Amino acid sequence: MNNKPAILLIYTGGTIGMVKDFKTGALRAFNFDQLVERIPELHMLDCSIETYSFETPIDSSDMNPDHWVKMAKVIEDNYEQFDGFVILHGSDTMSYSASALSFMLENVHKPIILTGSQLPIGDLRTDAKENLITAIQVAAIQENNIPVIQEVCLYFEYKLYRGNRTSKVSAELFNAFTSPNIPHLAESGVNLRINKPLLNYAQPQSPFTVHKQMSTNVMILKMFPGIQQNVLEAILNIKDLEGIVLETYGAGNAPTEPWFLTTLGEAIKKGLKVINVTQCSSGSVHMGKYETSTELKEIGVISGKDITTEAAITKLMYLLTKTDYSDFKVAFETPICGEMEE
């Protein structure tokens, strides 16, 4: 009887699945059914691996909620047959996808690991092999036949992160991602060290549920010195706009000019959801700490606490399709799957 963990490898697109045509120098996707031929080291892993590939590989710059739904559907359809899932994805929007899937896949009791690479899998100096092999290893870790990782994660350059806590910070370094406000969950070295106290677990009896509705009537607005009233009004009056993520200064500060607060306040009264996140690379929003954020709190702006912009926009997209809460502000400011501080 084969008790090896069964892992489904899902290829969506991205640099990791490319090989270079040495005659033309162009990159092209290779057939993922031939994955083991490309990476014979996979034979050494103590798990069984099957592959699923999107018919048309997606450049991560073209990623959208329809593709997230497709990923979620693949996991839903194969959830009972596999012990873990590894999603190969372009790095540019990987943090958005990891964040979105963490909300869409409720009560996950198995590992969902996103990974990718900065160089193609066929490149001499590629980081693809290590990222792929270790992501599969992490997905296969079990204790007493129960997966150790039971959440949506992102693995890149020796570190495993909670997916909805990540941001891409480099277009060139192999160490392309960071988790600005919580430590990484695991680190690969001579040994694979897992920081178990940081791991997130759903209640054992809670049923795995897939949510396939995400609102796209949202946007991100970054504050900058000199923003004009007509620009803000034009944005807030976009037809069907339901919510915005407002990237503010420091601990959640924004202009205190009357026109700014009045314009924003009127939009909120009409039902627009406004989430306050810091545009700093790390740290948290503390609305009310300074006068410049106290007035935002008073007009109904919602605190994003220490959430990343990627997680804020995808959580907004997720919650705007739900009706099972009495207060949107409370719903957003309450952690769902470890995406923000308690």
Side-chain angles (χ1 to χ4, degrees):
M1 184 175 179
N2 184 6
N3 290 321
K4 287 185 176 183
I7 306 300
L8 181 62
L9 192 61
I10 303 168
Y11 176 57
T12 68
T15 301
I16 192 169
M18 300 292 175
V19 291
K20 184 177 289 186
D21 185 320
F22 289 102
K23 290 184 178 179
T24 66
L27 296 176
R28 57 179 174 78
F30 73 82
N31 184 348
F32 251 76
D33 292 334
Q34 301 170 355
L35 180 65
V36 177
E37 295 176 22
R38 293 280 178 182
I39 311 178
E41 295 92 336
L42 294 179
H43 284 299
M44 300 171 64
L45 297 176
D46 193 26
C47 61
S48 63
I49 302 169
E50 293 189 29
T51 61
Y52 176 95
S53 182
F54 279 22
E55 288 184 15
T56 304
I58 304 159
D59 187 291
S60 67
S61 298
D62 291 322
M63 189 58 59
N64 63 49
D66 289 338
H67 297 135
W68 295 336
V69 170
K70 185 174 181 180
M71 291 180 220
K73 186 76 165 55
V74 171
I75 292 170
E76 181 182 37
D77 292 345
N78 292 278
Y79 192 75
E80 296 302 325
Q81 289 87 356
F82 291 90
D83 300 297
F85 303 85
V86 173
I87 300 174
L88 304 184
H89 191 293
S91 62
D92 286 348
T93 56
M94 193 186 300
S95 289
Y96 289 94
S97 294
S99 297
L101 289 173
S102 74
F103 302 121
M104 297 169 74
L105 304 174
E106 183 182 2
N107 298 324
V108 167
H109 301 292
K110 298 179 180 183
I112 317 290
I113 314 293
L114 284 82
T115 194
S117 66
Q118 294 284 64
L119 289 174
I121 209 164
D123 196 280
L124 182 63
R125 296 177 51 252
T126 186
D127 55 329
K129 285 189 177 183
E130 195 285 322
N131 286 347
L132 175 57
I133 290 169
T134 308
I136 294 172
Q137 280 188 309
V138 169
I141 296 173
Q142 296 187 349
E143 290 182 357
N144 301 318
N145 295 318
I146 297 174
V148 171
I149 307 297
Q150 298 185 22
E151 56 181 302
V152 178
C153 295
L154 188 157
Y155 180 82
F156 222 89
E157 187 65 7
Y158 306 117
K159 289 184 173 68
L160 180 75
Y161 306 99
R162 175 164 299 139
N164 58 32
R165 287 288 199 152
T166 62
S167 293
K168 186 176 181 183
V169 292
S170 177
E172 295 185 358
L173 297 177
F174 286 152
N175 186 20
F177 288 85
T178 187
S179 177
N181 291 318
I182 68 165
H184 48 269
L185 306 182
E187 186 166 11
S188 174
V190 174
N191 298 301
L192 187 58
R193 299 185 181 277
I194 299 175
N195 194 346
K196 290 186 178 180
L198 285 178
L199 299 181
N200 203 34
Y201 293 98
Q203 293 295 323
Q205 69 274 17
S206 302
F208 173 60
T209 306
V210 179
H211 302 274
K212 299 170 187 171
Q213 299 294 320
M214 297 285 276
S215 172
T216 55
N217 297 322
V218 296
M219 71 166 298
I220 298 168
L221 174 60
K222 186 169 186 172
M223 289 288 90
F224 62 92
I227 187 168
Q228 296 296 301
Q229 182 174 0
N230 61 338
V231 172
L232 184 63
E233 289 176 343
I235 291 170
L236 298 183
N237 287 316
I238 293 173
K239 183 181 178 183
D240 298 326
L241 183 66
E242 295 180 276
I244 66 170
V245 172
L246 191 68
E247 286 194 345
T248 57
Y249 309 123
N253 305 311
T256 56
E257 295 179 67
W259 69 261
F260 179 84
L261 294 168
T262 299
T263 303
L264 200 59
E266 288 175 352
I268 291 170
K269 286 178 183 177
K270 293 177 182 177
L272 185 72
K273 309 298 189 282
V274 180
I275 314 300
N276 187 358
V277 303
T278 177
Q279 58 184 249
C280 296
S281 57
S282 63
S284 181
V285 162
H286 296 285
M287 290 174 64
K289 183 177 181 180
Y290 297 100
E291 182 182 355
T292 47
S293 63
T294 297
E295 290 174 308
L296 292 180
K297 187 177 182 179
E298 290 175 351
I299 64 173
V301 173
I302 298 165
S303 176
K305 302 182 181 180
D306 65 343
I307 199 169
T308 63
T309 295
E310 295 90 337
I313 194 71
T314 51
K315 185 175 184 177
L316 184 59
M317 296 166 84
Y318 167 78
L319 284 177
L320 285 170
T321 67
K322 304 300 169 193
T323 57
D324 55 350
Y325 52 78
S326 57
D327 188 319
F328 187 92
K329 180 179 185 295
V330 172
F332 193 95
E333 293 181 354
T334 302
I336 295 174
C337 45
E339 74 282 1
M340 61 167 57
E341 63 185 357
E342 291 288 341

